[in-house]
């Protein structure tokens, strides 16, 4: 009977060790994966930042051009009204 209890305790201890090792291994894998994701995000940020700034500049230029066109159209409308 004592042998069965000792074997049961040994099996339980081995299971706990296996579970602990599994958790540690999964934690290390998750940590490395997160590090790789962080590096990828930093790479994307550094590569995209100039493109985003250029896009912002282009949009500002287009907006300014549209404002000029709008002002011109408004002026033309006023001239047409005065002529009529």
């Amino acid at each position: 009977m004592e042998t069965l209890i000792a074997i049961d305790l040994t099996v339980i201890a081995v299971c706990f060790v296996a579970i602990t090792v599994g958790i540690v291994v999964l934690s290390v894998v998750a940590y490395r994966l997160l590090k790789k994701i962080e590096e990828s995000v930093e790479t994307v940020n550094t590569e995209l930042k100039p493109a985003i700034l250029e896009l912002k500049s282009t949009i500002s230029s287009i907006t300014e051009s549209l404002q000029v066109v709008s002002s011109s159209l408004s002026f033309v409308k006023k001239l047409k009204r005065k002529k009529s």
Side-chain angles (χ1 to χ4, degrees):
M1 189 68 145
E2 289 180 16
T3 309
L4 288 176
I5 293 174
I7 291 173
D8 289 343
L9 290 177
T10 304
V11 169
I12 292 171
V14 168
C15 288
F16 277 131
V17 168
I19 290 170
T20 304
V21 168
I23 290 172
V24 169
V25 168
L26 288 176
S27 298
V28 168
V29 169
Y31 177 78
R32 287 184 181 173
L33 183 62
L34 286 174
K35 278 294 190 186
K36 285 184 180 181
I37 290 171
E38 181 183 5
E39 290 170 2
S40 297
V41 167
E42 288 176 6
T43 302
V44 167
N45 282 341
T46 56
E47 290 177 1
L48 283 181
K49 193 170 185 177
I52 290 172
L53 291 175
E54 185 177 337
L55 181 62
K56 185 178 178 182
S57 174
T58 304
I59 289 172
S60 293
S61 297
I62 291 172
T63 302
E64 289 173 8
S65 299
L66 289 175
Q67 287 174 346
V68 168
V69 169
S70 175
S71 296
S72 300
L73 288 175
S74 178
F75 179 73
V76 169
K77 276 185 174 180
K78 289 179 183 177
L79 279 178
K80 283 186 175 182
R81 285 183 189 161
K82 286 184 181 181
K83 284 185 176 181
S84 297

